[in-house]
Amino acid sequence: MAEPTAPGPAALRRGPLDHLTGALRAATVTGPRAVALAALPCRTMTTLRATPDGPAATRLAEVLGAPLPRRCGDTARGEHGTALWLGPDEWLLVAEDGDPAPLDALSAALGGAPGQVVDVSAQRTVLELRGPSARDVLEKGCAPDLHPRAFPPGRAVSTAAAQVPLVLWHPAADTYRLLPRASFADHLAHWLMDAMGEYGLPEVG
């Protein structure tokens, strides 16, 4: 009889909001004013830094399969995730479903040029707020204008919600992803759940 094998490192990972799984599920609001909050733990995130007009940025884009965003708020979906603009020479590459980033290929693309390729997966976590009332919930404590004319799907900005610094990403209609530092995730999740509560109550005419 074969000996059972020990789980690999990936199976041992725990997200900073694992203890709130039941609470997040219970906070879900259904109906015409629906809104739901979920944690997306263990997403692979990589900070990229390079001179935007330099050859290194071009080589990084070739590895990613998409040009690096050039303006505040822009994002670019590539073969290894979505690159979010953080600054004139800085981007955050967020992979889907914990897929690994091609760190070796990205580092090789940077070569000897000034810049960085750093795995920062443990630095942040991802909260996904979705549903027809998601924007209303965020507007209770988030400064940017979130109207679709100003913040359509595909945009991402560095801002704050509930006084927590974060990256706010709008990947699709009625869906927002909040990327706070992991140490602030618990506070932010509780604030969002509290802000969602009124949408489960009858509307006042």
Side-chain angles (χ1 to χ4, degrees):
M1 181 176 178
E3 292 291 329
T5 57
L12 301 175
R13 293 184 301 183
R14 296 293 180 268
L17 294 175
D18 284 1
H19 64 292
L20 291 181
T21 299
L24 295 174
R25 187 181 301 115
T28 298
V29 175
T30 58
R33 299 202 296 168
V35 61
L37 180 65
L40 306 180
C42 305
R43 289 294 193 268
T44 302
M45 299 185 220
T46 309
T47 292
L48 307 175
R49 300 201 70 167
T51 302
D53 295 321
T58 300
R59 294 193 297 268
L60 289 171
E62 290 172 353
V63 174
L64 298 176
L68 290 167
R70 302 298 297 271
R71 300 178 302 173
C72 178
D74 285 354
T75 66
R77 180 71 181 269
E79 298 173 12
H80 303 285
T82 302
L84 316 180
W85 188 97
L86 295 185
D89 65 349
E90 183 176 7
W91 303 268
L92 182 66
L93 176 65
V94 183
E96 290 293 331
D97 301 324
D99 291 339
L103 292 176
D104 290 343
L106 290 169
S107 296
L110 189 62
Q116 288 182 332
V117 174
V118 181
D119 187 332
V120 294
S121 304
Q123 185 183 73
R124 299 178 184 269
T125 193
V126 183
L127 283 157
E128 184 174 85
L129 189 69
R130 62 186 183 279
S133 295
R135 177 162 67 96
D136 295 331
V137 170
L138 283 176
E139 286 176 337
K140 294 182 179 186
C142 196
D145 181 358
L146 301 182
H147 191 279
R149 287 193 300 267
F151 198 66
R155 303 287 283 172
V157 294
S158 295
T159 183
Q163 300 182 334
V164 173
L166 49 77
V167 176
L168 177 63
W169 175 20
H170 188 16
D174 291 339
T175 302
Y176 298 86
R177 290 183 178 177
L178 298 87
L179 285 65
R181 303 279 181 176
S183 56
F184 291 106
D186 182 271
H187 166 75
L188 180 62
H190 277 97
W191 184 89
L192 288 166
M193 287 189 287
D194 183 67
M196 291 163 57
E198 71 170 272
Y199 299 96
L201 302 174
E203 290 189 78
V204 177

